[in-house]
Amino acid sequence: MRSWLWLPVLLLSIPGPAPAQTIPQFESEVLPILSRYCTHCHGSLEPMGRLDLTNPLLIEKGGAGGAGLVKHSPDASPIYKRLVDGSMPPAGQKKPSADDIDIIRRWIGAGAPTLKFYQAPDRAADRRRQVKIQPPPLSRADREYWAFRTLAPQEPPRVRQGEQVRTPVDAFLLEKLEEKGIGFSADADRLFLMRRLYLDLIGLPPSPEEVDAFLADGSPLAYEQLVERLLASPHFGERWGRHWLDEAGYTDTLGGDNDFVSGKQPLGVPGKWKYRDYVIDAINRDKPYDRFVTEQLAGDELVDWRAASEFSPAMSRLLQATGFLRVAADDTNQDVLNTPDIRYGVLQRTVQTFASNVMGLTVGCAQCHDHKYDPISQLDYYRLTAVFTPAYNPQQWLQPDDRSLPEASPLEKESIDRANRRLDLRIKPFRRKLDALYHPYKQRLTDERLAQVPEVIREDLRIALKSFENELRPPERYLKEKFEPVVVPSEEQIQALLSPQELARASRLKSRIAALERHRRTYGTLQATVDTGPPPPTYFLIRGNYLTPGPEVEPGMPAVLTDPGGEALQFENGAAGRSSGRRLALARSLTQPDSRAAALVARVRVNRVWQRLFGEGIVATSDNLGRNGARPTHPELLEWLADGFVSGGWQVKPLVRLLVASTAYRQRSRLPGPGDTVVQRQRVRKAMDVDPGNDLLWRMPLRRLESEAIRDSIMAVSGKLSRTMGGAAIRLDGKADGMVTVSIPDLAHPGDRWRRSLYLVGRRNYNLTVLSVFDQPKLSMNCIRRDTSAAVLQTLVLLNDAFLLEQARFFAGRVSRLARDPGKRIELAFRLALARRPSREELSWSRELLEREARRRLATSAGPEAADLEALASLCQMILNSNEFLHVG
């Protein structure tokens, strides 16, 4: 080992002169300790036992149990005694270190000094000064704004071009087009329409066999039957589940995820992927949207899971659904970040993500003041926040790891744990014998390696290796983490020193242990959202500052979404089990038929479905249906769709079926070319003059595929796509050069490297490189609509990325196995990737490319067969690079 590698440790380890102990000051040394371990319960808002530890005067005054400290007498001070005897913080909470307790002792012994003058607040006077907060009165215009009205049934209009009406959707669109003197474009070619359907509904291109079967089907219902097959495909849930996960802000990681990690990317939170699988399954089942939302907001409140003797699959799904409320970035698992401001930040991000997704509103600014554009008051915001505080209580916060639930009922868990404890007792003698057999060799190797460690840190490292984790001080923990992998030998290294007899004995012991381990019972982990205790008081925060709480507020809805005086939530049909029922009451208020809230929720959902199929919603700002958002281009159509959505049982698949059946969806997207008639070209010129932005949908918009659909389509065309569904996320590998790839050594099965992109570890940042360059969103919150860009880096990745080069070779191998003639190979490559045959000009270009590349490969001494295959791979890569492959047309 190079001696310079030890230099940082040596420099850190050189002892210097011991500093004289200074007198701790409250602000700089004591308050940080109290904030870390105590003030989440004994803070300034509602301190437990009326003991407030944020102010030295209040500590001295004490609470229900008397004074908190006695100046100059640590041993007579309750806060010091409770820290020393370990009774505070309570069992299960993290404890301060001996150094922290010593700082408290020295501070009290010095007379509890402070750097500034403190005054004990007069809480009674504070309460007297509080006035009832009156939100701005709602005007008639506020209540009659189009997004906040109850649904008004609409009749499809009569139009002159009735022959173009396949569904009522077309009538609404044609009414606007006819006002401008234009109409729909011609229908797209059946082949292009088929590819459009496949990519929109399942996110994968059709195979040549599927294309041939569809084109050969002369039935007038062939198109409708194709739509039904795609809606019934399990891949529909994967494609449309990805849309919902964007809107929910789902990732497999926990916190802000702001640092690139070189090496294996963390798998994220155990069991979090079960929410992703819940979404896919619910969409495939076409679960009614009102039920879908209710389960995600309050699945835990629909069933008394705490009292269940065992979890049924349905009960597990309900708990998995509440993972919807576990998507906000939460860094409080790091003790240094488990502070009130960050706790409130998690709660606020949860509220904002919910409102943006389900309600299509921006409510975040009402955290500090009444909304400047929409009729949403600051009181409305805190009413809504109060719905979630029983689960996200900033005063009695649960860190992320403590929010995990076992995927077993309390009774099941106790039974499994008890059986496993008995199993551990049976295994223990065999483990002890195996450890005894290994010990001399392990000790010898460890001592030999320790001898190579610089003497100045050797003894400290030896002590660190023998200590329990909770006994380590920070320097010792650093040494152990840094050098344990180098100093402590692996089992394989120990076994290399054993004699044949010892190896045989070790093998027998390990076999006995393995045989017993097969009887171990396990349960999974659920990242669910449940109430963590009785509903805490929720305060109106003055200017959004948790340090300046105002009056207590009750849970409720934004007033503009209710009838006058109806803001309070209704709890008649209360939650099952020990839960507040607040989230369930909210879900039912949001989906109550004939209500303003349900009308808004329905408008938001049908607008998003429209956006997924037509590229832009009827309301372009699909994340904001408020006054600062865009107005609907076709308000009557939006009302008709939303009304039909609710009256039809809130089901999404019939809505998708209706939209893709329309003439509007079946239009061609390309502009007329040389093969079109003069009349067609004239119509398009007029349409471009009167509606250059295509806001009225006189042709189908051309849309770039999302990043996942691009990668998945590449693998489908190459023949390598694994269609395995569900399960834990596939781990990624961060390279030193910034590239992110699939981690091959961590695959459970070799084919998992080619699973759909939905199943890769999803991060807020630093996703798979080929996804990131094609505008994979950075999910600081959620993503309602993806951006698309045209960047040079995209072309560079398509031409040079190892994944693309590999897939092009697989593509070429697939083509070469199915066709021998160069012309047939070119035709098959086009059909696999683009679902069509090449034109005469494309066929000529492709032949020239194959011949030129084959000659170049032969010149580098490749054999004729290898040269032909490499040439074919170049052609396949060029097709995958084409705009036609990357777009839905």
Side-chain angles (χ1 to χ4, degrees), residues 139 160 169 179 264 409 564 726 753 831:
S139 67
R160 294 190 299 274
V169 170
E179 290 175 2
K264 296 171 187 174
S409 71
R753 64 186 294 196
R831 296 193 67 206

Side-chain angles (χ1 to χ4, degrees), residues 55 96 109 182 207 367 380 397 435 449 526 621 663 747 800 880:
N55 180 320
I182 55 178
S207 68
Q367 173 187 329
D380 286 333
W397 189 258
D435 289 343
R449 295 174 181 186
L526 291 173
T621 54
T663 300
L747 296 174
N800 301 295
L880 296 179

